[in-house]
């Protein structure tokens, strides 16, 4: 199969729209990519023309996107490039879509806290602070409570709380890390 795979670095321009379909979840959002160049004459960075893409995701990636991405967040998107032309209101328009294979936060511009989602636990993909969260603001084990897995995000706030400590067996790496912390 001759697909054109691309990797784009930019920002989420819209919120993620998620819908459940007969074949699983489907998500889409607009993605803005603005090149920056060093202007030698002015001795400063200048922005180029912003290109917009519609990113499409399916099944598990779609569900995880809906719980992880907000407007303005820096992302890296990898997927298949699809260019289509449509005629609307008598005018021919070109649309550029990316069928995502992988999406992640751009860690050159901030930090992110990863939460593994266990199959059959869609509540773990819910974004902290969203209406879909099972635990409310008075839950003692919420994102800032003792059982929450908390990590800083790029905005200086915190993310996590959907996964409880003790919900998984620690891996060898986690065991080693806890031994290092507790060593005198």
């Amino acid at each position: 199969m001759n697909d054109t795979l691309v990797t784009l670095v930019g920002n989420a321009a819209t919120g993620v729209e998620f819908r459940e379909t007969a074949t699983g979840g489907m998500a889409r959002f607009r993605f803005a990519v603005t090149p920056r160049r060093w202007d030698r004459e002015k001795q400063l960075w200048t922005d180029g023309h912003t290109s917009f893409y519609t990113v499409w995701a399916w099944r598990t990636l779609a569900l995880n996107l809906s719980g992880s991405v907000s407007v303005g967040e820096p992302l890296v998107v990898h997927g298949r490039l699809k260019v289509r032309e449509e005629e609307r209101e008598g005018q021919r328009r070109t649309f550029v879509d990316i069928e995502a294979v992988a999406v992640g936060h751009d860690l050159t511009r901030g930090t992110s806290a990863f939460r593994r989602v266990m199959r059959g636990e869609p509540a773990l993909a819910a974004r902290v602070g969203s209406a879909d969260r099972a635990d409310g603001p008075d839950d003692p084990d919420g994102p800032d409570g003792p059982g929450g897995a908390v990590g800083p995000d790029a905005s200086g706030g915190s993310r996590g709380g959907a996964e409880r400590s003790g919900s998984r067996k620690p891996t060898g790496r986690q065991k080693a890390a806890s031994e290092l912390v507790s060593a005198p």
Side-chain angles (χ1 to χ4, degrees):
M1 197 160 158
N2 293 328
D3 286 333
T4 303
L5 293 174
V6 295
T7 302
L8 304 170
V9 178
N11 294 306
T14 65
V16 176
E17 297 174 29
F18 177 81
R19 279 185 284 184
E20 199 62 51
T21 67
T23 59
M26 184 277 303
R28 73 174 182 194
F29 66 97
R30 297 285 285 163
F31 189 62
V33 176
T34 305
R36 292 183 54 88
R37 307 215 188 297
W38 179 253
D39 187 336
R40 289 183 183 178
E41 294 175 11
K42 296 179 182 177
Q43 293 294 306
L44 52 90
W45 289 97
T46 58
D47 289 340
H49 176 72
T50 301
S51 297
F52 289 91
Y53 304 87
T54 301
V55 177
W56 297 86
W58 306 96
R59 293 174 285 287
T60 304
L61 177 57
L63 181 62
N64 292 343
L65 272 172
S66 69
S68 302
V69 174
S70 295
V71 175
E73 291 185 343
L75 300 174
V76 178
V77 174
H78 179 73
R80 291 175 198 85
L81 179 67
K82 307 275 183 172
V83 179
R84 59 189 167 88
E85 290 187 17
E86 292 181 8
E87 190 166 325
R88 289 188 182 175
E89 300 173 9
Q91 292 185 339
R92 197 150 185 84
R93 299 185 56 177
T94 302
F95 298 92
V96 183
D97 299 334
I98 307 296
E99 188 176 311
V101 173
V103 178
H105 286 103
D106 181 357
L107 298 181
T108 61
R109 295 168 40 203
T111 62
S112 184
F114 179 78
R115 296 181 312 263
R116 185 172 304 278
V117 176
M118 302 298 175
R119 290 187 187 260
E121 296 184 51
L124 290 180
R127 180 96 173 163
V128 173
S130 72
D132 298 336
R133 283 195 55 209
D135 54 343
D138 297 329
D139 184 359
D141 285 338
D144 298 323
V150 178
D153 70 6
S155 65
S158 65
R159 256 188 223 157
E163 179 176 309
R164 304 288 179 237
S165 61
S167 65
R168 294 186 297 157
K169 290 183 181 177
T171 63
R173 185 179 297 173
Q174 290 169 330
K175 287 179 188 175
S178 66
E179 290 170 4
L180 288 174
V181 171
S182 63

